Amino acid sequence: MRYNETKLAAYFADAPEGLGLEYLDMARIPRHISCIMDGNGRWATSRGMQRAEGHKAGIVALREIITACVRLGVDVLSAYAFSTENWNRPQREVDLLMHLFAKTFIDELPLLKRENVRVVFLGDIGALPERTRKVFEYGMAECEAHTGMVLALAVNYGGRAEIARAARRIAELVRAGELEPDRVDEDLVAANLYTAGLPDPELVIRTSGELRVSNYLLWQIAYAEFYITDTYWPDFDRWGLLDAILSFQGRERRFGGLTSK
Ligand code: IPE
Ligand code: IPE
Ligand code: MG
């Protein structure tokens, strides 16, 4: 996607040693960057604060990463906000997260409008508490005509649930006589995922040091590059993002083939 050089330079001014835009190949910015935003709770408890404070700080970090990705001309930024397994947390924390999601989306609508960001949700948002769901639907509609970066928020998302849902949808087509089983191929499965129409993530960033995918985009990350940092999500910022992209650009992606050198 196109980017504005002046705004980009301004956003990444005063870079720490070794991290400036001059190291970046603007022709090879990942089209789709995905963040597993982990470590909010530990960020808070390590400071003697309540976990809730970590989630609030995590929202500030997400705002910075959204802006940074827009400045860099990224096509799609996706972010894992709530997994199908996160319902297992204490009710109080689930309630707080659902409240924060709704509040944040309203608060950040001006930013999304100003930056021309379109919003889509990955996951079953129909099963969310009514207010959160309504705010999501309202916000999504408000941003529908935007033509800039796509922000894909994974909320009540699980990779296995998503693949089972795709299988169910395809099975329905077969049962209705609209599809022959031998026409089921990778493209058809992909078209029945929440990410239909979006490019697969090229770079997946996980904060807080965990070396696992936690049921995230299982189909779509088949050939993604991983970047894992010990930084807790609330401390992840534009410089962390730049470091992740530089790491990505230093790698050779072979997709099962042989080295090009
Ligand atoms: C990520 O931070 C946010 C959500 C999963 C909602 P965590 O809440 O998982 O923070 P940690 O991993 O307990 O530190
Ligand atoms: C993954 O983080 C889900 C999100 C970031 C929303 P978790 O904190 O839920 O993952 P686990 O439990 O450590 O695998
Ligand atoms: Mg966690």
Side-chain angles (χ1 to χ4, degrees):
M1 186 167 293
R2 290 186 37 191
Y3 61 94
N4 178 308
E5 259 180 61
T6 315
K7 286 185 173 181
L8 174 67
Y11 201 70
F12 285 93
D14 305 321
E17 190 66 34
L19 261 185
L21 288 177
E22 65 271 27
Y23 299 101
L24 210 58
D25 179 353
M26 289 307 294
R28 286 177 54 230
I29 298 292
R31 283 185 69 197
H32 180 171
I33 297 179
S34 195
C35 296
I36 301 178
M37 308 185 287
D38 199 12
N40 291 351
R42 278 164 286 165
W43 179 90
T45 47
S46 70
R47 285 170 163 69
M49 297 154 89
Q50 298 290 320
R51 290 178 59 84
E53 298 308 315
H55 293 313
K56 289 180 194 161
I59 289 163
V60 179
L62 178 58
R63 186 189 304 143
E64 174 156 337
I65 298 307
I66 292 172
T67 309
C69 284
V70 170
R71 294 289 172 269
L72 287 162
V74 169
D75 288 328
V76 182
L77 168 67
S78 54
Y80 203 7
F82 192 90
S83 74
T84 45
E85 288 71 34
N86 288 146
W87 296 109
N88 296 325
R89 294 190 178 195
Q91 191 61 41
R92 223 164 57 101
E93 180 161 340
V94 171
D95 290 346
L96 171 94
L97 285 166
M98 292 301 151
H99 164 75
L100 277 180
F101 292 156
K103 177 175 164 15
T104 305
F105 203 6
I106 295 288
D107 290 349
E108 302 302 336
L109 263 181
L111 166 79
L112 301 173
K113 289 185 177 177
R114 196 168 60 239
E115 300 294 351
N116 194 24
V117 173
R118 186 159 69 87
V119 179
V120 299
F121 286 92
L122 313 178
D124 181 10
I125 64 167
L128 299 179
E130 190 178 344
R131 177 160 172 275
T132 306
R133 177 176 56 79
K134 286 201 162 146
V135 166
F136 281 1
E137 284 165 359
Y138 166 76
M140 206 167 23
E142 288 284 298
C143 299
E144 205 170 5
H146 293 169
T147 54
M149 186 178 81
V150 174
L151 173 65
L153 295 169
V155 182
N156 193 18
Y157 175 86
R160 288 184 168 182
E162 178 185 42
I163 293 169
R165 172 179 172 270
R168 223 161 30 239
R169 288 161 57 119
I170 292 167
E172 289 294 348
L173 292 175
V174 172
R175 181 166 68 176
E178 291 169 26
L179 184 72
E180 289 299 322
D182 62 6
R183 298 287 300 276
V184 179
D185 59 11
E186 293 184 15
D187 288 343
L188 187 71
V189 174
N192 281 281
L193 300 175
Y194 291 115
T195 47
L198 301 178
D200 286 339
E202 292 178 278
L203 171 62
V204 174
I205 296 169
R206 183 163 189 154
T207 53
S208 91
E210 306 296 357
L211 304 176
R212 53 179 175 260
V213 290
S214 302
N215 202 12
Y216 190 50
L217 299 181
L218 298 179
W219 173 280
Q220 298 88 338
I221 60 175
Y223 268 101
E225 296 292 330
F226 277 78
Y227 176 89
I228 293 176
T229 171
D230 286 337
T231 304
Y232 294 139
W233 176 256
D235 285 332
F236 193 69
D237 60 9
R238 67 193 82 180
W239 308 113
L241 178 72
L242 212 55
D243 191 59
I245 298 175
L246 286 172
S247 165
F248 170 87
Q249 292 189 339
R251 303 180 196 181
E252 186 193 9
R253 304 183 75 199
R254 286 192 289 278
F255 301 100
L258 295 180
T259 170
S260 52
K261 288 177 191 136

